Amino acid sequence: MLKGGKVEAAIEKLRVIAETYIIRGDGAQAVEIYSTILAQSPVDIPTRLRLIDLLSQQDRLDQAVHEYMELSELYKQMAEIDEARKTLAEALRLAQRSTVDRRRSVEILHLMGDIDLSRLDWRRSLRVYEQLRTIEPSDDKARRNVIDLNLRLGQEEQAAKELDSYLELLVQAGRN
C-alpha cells in the first residue's frame, strides 16, 4: 500500500497491526510498527504518544525521552509553545526517573529555559537555569543566564553572588 501511494490506508492498517501485537503481548513488535508509521507520518501526534507509552512500559526510557523531545519540537513548529514546554517537562520527569544519561536532562532543561526566555517568563526561566547550574556547575550558558536573569529581575545582590561563584569556578578550572 505504501509503495502504491495509498499512505492513509497503509497507516491505518499498520495501526491495526500494532494494536494486534499489543493484544498478543508483543510490545516490541508494536514499537517497530509505530516507528514505521512515524517514518511515513512524523506529525501523527497520537501515534507518537502511543509509542512513548509503549517505550515507557518496556523500560526503554532513553528512547521514550527521545520521542518526547521529537514531540516537543513538533509542537514548537506548530507554534504550540505551551504544549512543547509540557512535553519537555514530561521528558525531564522521565529522564530523572531513569538511568538516562545526565546530559539528556541538561539538554532538556536548556530547551525548557530557552522556551521560558522566549516567552519572557524570567522567574520560571531563572528556576530552570538554577536547576541546570546545580546539575552541571560548569555549564557556562546556565551560569550566564542565572546572572543575567537575576539582574533583569532586579536582584543585583544575588547576581553578584552568582558572578563571584562563576568566576571562582573559572579560576579553579584554569580558565582565567
Side-chain angles (χ1 to χ4, degrees):
M1 290 179 134
L2 286 173
K3 290 179 183 176
K6 298 178 181 176
V7 177
E8 290 297 320
I11 287 174
E12 190 55 39
K13 189 164 276 209
L14 286 170
R15 269 195 197 97
V16 171
I17 292 168
E19 290 301 317
T20 302
Y21 277 124
I22 291 169
I23 291 169
R24 291 182 179 171
D26 192 354
Q29 200 61 35
V31 165
E32 294 303 317
I33 300 296
Y34 282 126
S35 296
T36 302
I37 293 171
L38 289 174
Q40 296 301 315
S41 180
V43 297
D44 188 341
I45 292 172
T47 297
R48 192 169 303 273
L49 289 169
R50 185 72 172 124
L51 176 59
I52 290 168
D53 185 46
L54 281 172
L55 290 168
S56 296
Q57 289 173 13
Q58 297 174 18
D59 286 329
R60 295 166 65 179
L61 300 181
D62 193 40
Q63 291 172 293
V65 169
H66 173 75
E67 290 299 327
Y68 266 128
M69 293 176 74
E70 291 289 323
L71 181 59
S72 172
E73 185 59 34
L74 179 61
Y75 281 134
K76 282 197 286 190
Q77 290 173 2
M78 295 168 48
E80 292 185 29
I81 305 303
D82 287 336
E83 286 300 316
R85 176 89 172 50
K86 287 178 191 174
T87 301
L88 286 171
E90 282 296 313
L92 181 63
R93 183 189 57 74
L94 191 62
Q96 290 174 337
R97 189 183 96 196
S98 71
T99 58
V100 173
D101 188 0
R102 182 181 66 165
R103 288 178 294 193
R104 184 69 85 167
S105 294
V106 168
E107 182 182 355
I108 293 167
L109 283 167
H110 271 293
L111 291 170
M112 291 171 71
D114 291 345
I115 287 174
D116 293 338
L117 273 177
S118 71
R119 298 177 74 211
L120 301 178
D121 190 346
W122 292 342
R123 291 195 188 284
R124 192 176 198 184
S125 184
L126 178 59
R127 286 191 303 271
V128 169
Y129 284 113
E130 285 174 339
Q131 186 177 359
L132 254 169
R133 180 209 53 217
T134 303
I135 293 172
E136 189 66 47
S138 62
D139 188 317
D140 290 333
K141 181 180 177 184
R143 291 286 189 145
R144 287 191 311 266
N145 280 328
V146 168
I147 295 165
D148 181 56
L149 289 165
N150 274 307
L151 288 172
R152 288 180 187 207
L153 292 168
Q155 301 170 354
E156 290 87 8
E157 187 176 317
Q158 188 62 31
K161 287 179 185 176
E162 284 295 330
L163 180 59
D164 288 342
S165 173
Y166 182 45
L167 293 173
E168 184 179 314
L169 179 77
L170 291 174
V171 169
Q172 288 174 356
R175 294 173 49 199
N176 296 343

